[in-house]
């Protein structure tokens, strides 16, 4: 019955979300991305080119065959419907569907862990309406950001199923989805490390003996990905000084700080900077409320002797945004997966 209620409330939530965002004109915003370049590459390359990363106008350090294969699939749909490949109506509809699916899988994951409908629907609602996440409906390049997040979440969901049922097929499904997420976008490299933290929160130190198969299989996948990417992306996928103009550690701290800001403050960095410069009263009030909320949470966790869980959740967030240190930058809309996984862990444990 609880599962049925979850489905019903999710459907109502998604319907209301579509109606409100449509009436506010959010879904009518134009193209704000480099999707034209990706679409051109998808059209003018063979399947072999996509798999071997033999692509024009694409950073040689990127290896995202799933992105270009699925983009080609969208182009084929456009052709079938008689729509030009640079007409982005199909991309936008796909983005909306993926965004809702992403939120649903997040909520369902919380439901599988907690069996609580209210927490699960709350997870979906917070992910859908958080302004920095809503950027992804306007930014067409977020198509693969959301897609990678879906594969990441499904891999995590099947891992939870493995922990509950102890059937090895679920671990196999999880690792297959982990591979697909890696081949969609590099941010999925954080998956094994986040899983270790979640396992530790759930079971403590016993995970290093009881669940060796989980993290060893995930690390093997990551090692094989590292080797294949080194050959196919024409570059070794490690942190490179070429992505930074200044000191590596200073830039890393700046990116982590921006990640925390994007997680907690629903504004674009440029708007936030202007607001602080002008001492905007609403901004100051929001910061005060945020600080008070954080202090109350921390004191409550210390009182309950659960502050270590708070630290572990914080560590998982830093791990989730660590790929942006490699990239050398972070945008507010890129917080979607780190925001959602942090929320899932927080509400579940």
């Amino acid at each position: 019955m609880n599962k049925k209620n979850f489905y019903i409330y999710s459907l109502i939530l998604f319907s209301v979300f579509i109606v409100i965002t449509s009436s506010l004109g959010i879904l009518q915003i134009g193209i704000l991305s480099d999707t034209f370049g990706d679409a051109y590459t998808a059209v003018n390359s063979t399947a072999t080119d996509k798999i071997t990363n033999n692509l024009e106008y694409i950073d040689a350090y990127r290896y995202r065959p799933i992105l270009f294969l699925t983009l080609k699939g969208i182009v084929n749909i456009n052709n079938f419907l008689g729509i030009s490949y640079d007409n982005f109506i199909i991309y936008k509809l796909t983005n909306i569907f993926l965004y809702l699916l992403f939120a649903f899988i997040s909520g369902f994951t919380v439901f599988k862990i907690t069996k609580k409908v209210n927490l699960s629907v709350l997870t979906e609602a917070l992910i859908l309406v958080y302004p920095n996440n809503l950027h992804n409906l306007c930014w067409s390049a977020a198509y693969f950001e959301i897609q990678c997040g879906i594969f990441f979440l499904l891999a995590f969901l099947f891992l939870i199923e493995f922990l509950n049922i102890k059937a090895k097929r679920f671990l196999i499904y999880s690792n297959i989805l982990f591979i697909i997420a890696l081949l969609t976008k590099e941010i999925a490299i954080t998956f094994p490390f986040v899983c270790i933290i979640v396992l530790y929160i759930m079971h403590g130190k016993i995970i290093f003996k009881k669940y060796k198969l989980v993290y060893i299989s995930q690390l093997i996948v990551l090692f094989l990905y590292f080797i294949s990417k080194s050959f196919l992306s024409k570059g070794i996928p490690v942190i490179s000084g070429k992505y930074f103009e200044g000191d590596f550690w200073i830039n890393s701290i700046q990116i982590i700080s921006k990640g925390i800001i994007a997680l907690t403050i629903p504004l674009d960095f440029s708007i936030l900077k202007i607001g602080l410069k002008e001492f905007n009263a609403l901004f100051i009030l929001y910061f005060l409320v945020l600080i008070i909320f954080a202090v109350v949470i921390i004191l409550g966790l210390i009182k309950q002797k659960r502050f270590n869980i708070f630290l572990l959740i914080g560590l998982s967030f830093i791990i989730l945004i660590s790929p942006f240190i490699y990239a050398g930058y972070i945008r507010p809309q890129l917080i979607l997966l780190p925001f959602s996984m942090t929320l899932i862990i927080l509400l579940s444990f």
Side-chain angles (χ1 to χ4, degrees):
M1 186 63 182
N2 275 352
K3 185 180 286 189
K4 183 180 179 180
N5 288 340
F6 169 69
Y7 292 149
I8 293 171
Y9 295 147
S10 296
L11 182 61
I12 294 171
L13 173 65
F14 295 158
S15 301
V16 171
F17 174 79
I18 289 294
V19 170
I20 292 176
T21 51
S22 298
S23 62
L24 293 175
I26 292 174
L27 304 181
Q28 298 174 9
I29 295 175
I31 302 306
L32 305 173
S33 74
D34 54 0
T35 306
F36 280 105
D38 287 343
Y40 176 86
T41 301
V43 170
N44 294 280
S45 60
T46 65
T48 302
D49 291 334
K50 294 175 178 65
I51 294 170
T52 60
N53 210 35
N54 182 30
L55 304 171
E56 288 186 277
Y57 312 118
I58 298 297
D59 186 344
Y61 287 85
R62 291 171 58 186
Y63 181 53
R64 302 170 182 177
I66 298 297
L67 161 65
F68 293 107
L69 288 169
T70 50
L71 274 176
K72 178 62 175 177
I74 292 176
V75 170
N76 290 338
I77 294 173
N78 281 5
N79 292 338
F80 178 76
L81 297 174
I83 302 173
S84 173
Y85 81 89
D86 56 356
N87 183 321
F88 285 87
I89 182 64
I90 301 298
Y91 293 90
K92 185 162 290 189
L93 291 174
T94 303
N95 236 25
I96 295 167
F97 171 75
L98 291 177
Y99 190 66
L100 295 176
L101 181 61
F102 181 95
F104 175 79
I105 295 169
S106 300
F108 190 70
T109 302
V110 173
F111 179 78
K112 292 295 289 187
I113 297 171
T114 65
K115 308 301 181 187
K116 295 182 179 179
V117 174
N118 57 342
L119 286 180
S120 307
V121 177
L122 176 63
T123 301
E124 294 175 329
L126 290 174
I127 290 171
L128 287 176
V129 304
Y130 188 62
N132 290 345
N133 293 340
L134 278 170
H135 276 292
N136 291 282
L137 288 180
C138 310
W139 183 49
S140 294
Y143 157 77
F144 63 89
E145 194 78 28
I146 303 171
Q147 187 183 43
C148 176
I150 287 172
F151 294 133
F152 189 107
L153 291 173
L154 285 173
F156 183 71
L157 180 60
F158 276 113
L159 178 63
I160 297 298
E161 281 291 283
F162 170 72
L163 298 178
N164 291 336
I165 301 176
K166 302 297 187 295
K168 289 184 180 179
R169 69 178 183 276
F170 290 114
L171 181 58
I172 294 172
Y173 300 155
S174 176
N175 284 330
I176 290 172
L177 287 160
F178 173 36
I179 293 169
I180 296 172
L182 284 169
L183 298 180
T184 305
K185 194 178 180 185
E186 297 82 357
I187 57 174
I189 62 172
T190 60
F191 182 71
F193 309 104
V194 173
C195 289
I196 287 175
I197 290 175
V198 171
L199 284 170
Y200 186 81
I201 291 173
M202 293 175 73
H203 300 287
K205 294 179 181 179
I206 194 174
I207 65 159
F208 297 107
K209 288 185 178 179
K210 188 175 181 180
Y211 294 111
K212 285 189 293 186
L213 185 61
V214 172
Y215 58 82
I216 289 176
S217 63
Q218 290 173 346
L219 292 176
I220 289 172
V221 168
L222 200 57
F223 175 76
L224 294 174
Y225 168 75
F226 181 93
I227 297 299
S228 63
K229 189 175 189 294
S230 296
F231 286 102
L232 296 175
S233 66
K234 303 171 187 176
I236 299 175
V238 295
I239 294 172
S240 171
K242 87 180 191 70
Y243 288 93
F244 304 97
E245 295 179 358
D247 182 80
F248 166 74
W249 294 109
I250 292 175
N251 280 282
S252 299
I253 292 171
Q254 287 178 347
I255 290 166
I256 292 172
S257 301
K258 285 183 177 180
I260 295 171
I261 290 169
L263 178 74
T264 54
I265 302 173
L267 293 169
D268 188 85
F269 297 144
S270 58
I271 297 173
L272 178 62
K273 187 176 180 180
I274 293 169
L276 289 174
K277 190 175 181 180
E278 296 177 350
F279 291 99
N280 185 289
L282 287 176
F283 284 17
I284 302 302
L285 178 62
Y286 180 84
F287 288 137
L288 288 174
V289 172
L290 191 63
I291 291 168
I292 292 169
F293 179 77
V295 170
V296 169
I297 291 294
I298 291 171
L299 290 177
L301 289 168
I302 291 173
K303 186 176 180 180
Q304 296 175 30
K305 296 181 180 180
R306 300 185 70 188
F307 188 67
N308 61 321
I309 294 180
F310 179 79
L311 293 177
L312 288 170
I313 294 173
L315 176 61
S316 68
F317 174 73
I318 292 174
I319 290 171
L320 284 161
I321 64 170
S322 61
F324 303 119
I325 295 174
Y326 168 76
Y329 71 95
I330 186 170
R331 302 186 184 111
Q333 62 264 37
L334 295 175
I335 206 67
L336 176 65
L337 180 59
F339 176 93
S340 303
M341 277 303 301
T342 303
L343 185 65
I344 289 169
I345 299 171
L346 185 65
L347 293 181
S348 297
F349 303 110

